[in-house]
Structures are given as C-alpha cells and as structure tokens.
Amino acid sequence: VNFEGEDYVVGDEAPLCKTFKPDVTEKKATKENMVLILSVLAKLGITHAEMVVGLPVATMEHEKEPVKQMFSGSKEAVINGKKSAFEIKTNVVSEPVGTFFSLSLDDNLRRIYSSNYFNDRDTTAIIDIGFRTVDTIILQRGTLAEARDSSLSGALTLFQKE
C-alpha cells in the first residue's frame, strides 16, 4: 500500500519485512491505522464509508478530534498496484457506548424495539475490559448517567507479573 508517498506492507507478509515494528502504543490517530482502514475498505470494495471508532474513556477527551480528523475526508492510496479513492465520515465514541448500543440488538444484530435495559431497570453497569484499561458506563433507566475510566488501568500487566 502506498499512502501519502510512503509504502506499507499490510497483512500476513508484514512481520517478514526487515523494517517491521509491532505497534505497542494505544494511539489511534496514526497513518498506520489509516492504511489498515483503507486496506480493509478496498478489500470489501467500499469507497464511501461512515465509520465509528471507539476510544477508551481515559483517552476520549484528548484523542477524539485527532482521530476524527485523521480518519475523515477524502483519502487516496495505491493498493495492490491500483489507485483507489475513498470518502470517509468518522464519528468517535467511548468504547463502552458500543456495548450500550448492542443492548438494543438481538443475536442476529437486528434492532429490538423494546428492551428492559432501556425502560425497566433502575441501574445497569457496562464494564468494558480492554488491553490496558477497564472502562465503565452507568445507565439509569436507559440513559447514560456516568462514564469514567476505572481504577484498574494496567490491570492486565499487573496480573501477568504475579
């Protein structure tokens, strides 16, 4: 893939390249992630996309705009020797919000028009366990009451050391 004048190898062959460096940062707004997104869109034959990106609650405030700017707009790349153009609209939400919306879907991802998560229950807690964070959101009668990064940041690293 050639994107903005730089060449990238995407897929199974990437680790075989002598310049391969695994990404161990949690930054989302990177050219490398843009290249991965464009590669997936090209493979699916999609040139116009509306995309939602989930971010950890802890990084949401300072990373939302950079992610939206990096991943939105007109993009061009040469993928497998073919010039491709994309138009992308990106929205950014906190990761647990995706779980919240999934509560309104059945097992076949069809919308449920009546769910006790939105009406009958007083309080529902959604806990999103990520690689280096545990994010939570609290719903009260289906309305977002609170979102925060829990005190368990880095819990996976600590667990592995013991």
Side-chain angles (χ1 to χ4, degrees):
V1 176
N2 183 285
F3 178 67
E4 295 184 346
E6 295 184 60
D7 291 319
Y8 298 85
V9 177
V10 176
D12 295 337
E13 303 298 318
L16 302 177
C17 296
K18 62 182 175 183
T19 58
F20 175 74
K21 289 185 271 181
D23 182 12
V24 293
T25 69
E26 290 195 35
K27 285 193 79 123
K28 303 289 189 246
T30 65
K31 285 176 68 172
E32 292 79 9
N33 283 337
M34 185 75 255
V35 168
L36 292 173
I37 291 165
L38 296 178
S39 297
V40 169
L41 292 175
K43 186 173 185 175
L44 296 172
I46 298 171
T47 58
H48 290 74
E50 291 190 26
M51 181 171 69
V52 177
V53 176
L55 294 176
V57 173
T59 63
M60 178 72 174
E61 186 176 322
H62 67 270
E63 237 192 303
K64 180 178 182 175
E65 283 308 310
V67 166
K68 198 170 189 175
Q69 289 177 3
M70 171 65 77
F71 298 153
S72 292
S74 299
K75 309 291 180 188
E76 290 186 355
V78 177
I79 302 172
N80 295 326
K82 180 183 172 194
K83 188 173 182 177
S84 301
F86 304 89
E87 191 64 40
I88 304 171
K89 180 180 177 186
T90 303
N91 193 8
V92 182
V93 298
S94 66
E95 288 173 339
V97 171
T99 303
F100 170 71
F101 285 117
S102 75
L103 296 174
S104 66
L105 303 174
D106 67 13
D107 291 340
N108 295 314
L109 302 177
R110 291 183 302 240
R111 184 171 178 219
I112 299 171
Y113 290 93
S114 178
S115 171
N116 64 349
Y117 290 107
F118 299 109
N119 300 317
D120 300 334
R121 294 186 182 201
D122 286 332
T123 303
T124 300
I126 296 175
I127 302 169
D128 178 3
I129 301 172
F131 181 66
R132 293 187 182 133
T133 61
V134 178
D135 295 329
T136 60
I137 61 172
I138 307 300
L139 306 172
Q140 290 180 327
R141 296 191 187 271
T143 302
L144 181 64
E146 189 175 340
R148 65 179 181 267
D149 181 52
S150 80
S151 60
L152 296 177
S153 294
L156 181 62
T157 304
L158 295 172
F159 180 77
Q160 289 176 335
K161 287 182 181 179
E162 294 182 0

